[in-house]
Amino acid sequence: MSADIEKIRRSYDIQAKLYDLREIYLGRRARAVRKLEIKPGAVVMDLACGTGLNLPHLVKAVGEKGLVIGVDYSEGMLAVAHRRVEKGGWKNVRLIHEDALQMNVPYPVDAVLCAYAVCVFPEWEAVLHRAVTWIRPGGRLVVLDVRYPEGLLSVVNPFVALFGKYLSHADYSHEAWKAMKEDLKGVEVEFFACRTKYLCWGVK
Ligand SMILES: C[S@@+](CC[C@H](N)C(=O)[O-])C[C@H]1O[C@@H](n2cnc3c(N)ncnc32)[C@H](O)[C@@H]1O
């Protein structure tokens, strides 16, 4: 792991206990999970799952016979996710401590969700191309993320960039749907919150 990536990982370890406060401005998770179009019994991966804010929606979508695999390289974030799983009494969730860029997935999954993390991966295109290889043909990749404001709102971009750099270690110029078009069919994107966030999806 490079020094930069190690720095990001340690920062998420430190902020893990307060991370869920960000849900005030994040959100849209239920809609992102609907775009996965998974059926009960499906196996779905929550890539860079963090503290597990997607888990309630994913657990409900896959049902008792399905499986949710949450992957993250921050032990601190995963510790919060483990507590969430325990509290929810969910038996169909596995949490894996792994770097998305090193990880191998032994069998194809039905879908992958990546929420608010493409902006954090320095090698975001490589991670997305890799994620596609884990999905069975016909399965979906869904990305939910933040982007820079446009037009008049772009006056705040220097502040957004500072916030992104020092708190989230994020670069909001990563536009996942563009890289997804190289590997997936029917890629669509919708913008919300004055186009400062996007949800995109495509089919393998
Ligand atoms: C902004 S948080 C998003 C967490 C969660 N997906 C959510 O929606 O709240 C970004 C997460 O990406 C994880 N992450 C960043 N790079 C990663 C990598 N290469 N492999 C695994 N996890 C990574 C961080 O540890 C952190 O938990």
Side-chain angles (χ1 to χ4, degrees):
M1 203 179 276
S2 75
D4 273 359
I5 293 184
E6 180 56 23
K7 193 171 140 199
I8 302 173
R9 191 189 63 72
R10 265 190 279 120
S11 162
Y12 276 99
D13 275 349
I14 292 164
Q15 58 182 292
K17 286 190 180 137
L18 293 177
Y19 179 85
D20 287 3
L21 294 175
R22 293 197 199 179
E23 196 58 359
I24 296 166
Y25 70 89
L26 295 177
R28 282 270 166 144
R29 298 178 190 276
R31 182 158 177 80
V33 171
R34 278 201 297 280
K35 290 294 176 192
L36 293 168
E37 295 206 348
I38 42 178
K39 298 198 172 65
V43 178
V44 62
M45 181 180 296
D46 187 357
L47 180 59
C49 63
T51 61
L53 289 166
N54 296 316
L55 293 177
H57 307 284
L58 292 170
V59 163
K60 199 168 155 198
V62 302
E64 284 181 5
K65 295 203 169 128
L67 178 64
V68 181
I69 306 167
V71 178
D72 203 286
Y73 72 174
S74 156
E75 283 173 354
M77 297 291 271
L78 279 181
V80 179
H82 274 291
R83 284 199 287 281
R84 195 183 301 279
V85 171
E86 214 171 289
K87 207 168 160 198
W90 302 322
K91 304 280 179 243
N92 55 353
V93 178
R94 301 282 171 278
L95 296 174
I96 299 176
H97 181 220
E98 189 70 89
D99 178 349
L101 266 171
Q102 309 290 328
M103 195 172 70
N104 286 313
V105 177
Y107 51 85
V109 299
D110 293 302
V112 173
L113 172 62
C114 187
Y116 302 113
V118 165
C119 61
V120 177
F121 301 135
E123 296 176 65
W124 63 281
E125 284 157 308
V127 176
L128 289 177
H129 292 314
R130 212 173 153 82
V132 171
T133 66
W134 305 327
I135 303 172
R136 65 158 172 80
R140 286 183 162 212
L141 171 63
V142 173
V143 173
L144 174 65
D145 223 312
V146 176
R147 66 196 291 270
Y148 281 117
E150 296 168 332
L152 284 179
L153 282 179
S154 63
V155 291
V156 301
N157 283 355
F159 302 103
V160 176
L162 276 179
F163 172 86
K165 187 166 176 211
Y166 292 106
L167 189 65
S168 305
H169 301 277
D171 178 346
Y172 303 119
S173 65
H174 300 170
E175 297 185 315
W177 67 93
K178 293 184 180 164
M180 285 162 66
K181 279 182 181 165
E182 294 170 25
D183 301 318
L184 300 170
K185 293 176 282 188
V187 173
E188 288 185 59
V189 55
E190 62 185 33
F191 301 100
F192 55 100
C194 298
R195 296 177 70 87
T196 59
K197 291 183 206 158
Y198 67 88
L199 175 63
C200 61
W201 58 93
V203 184
K204 181 162 173 185

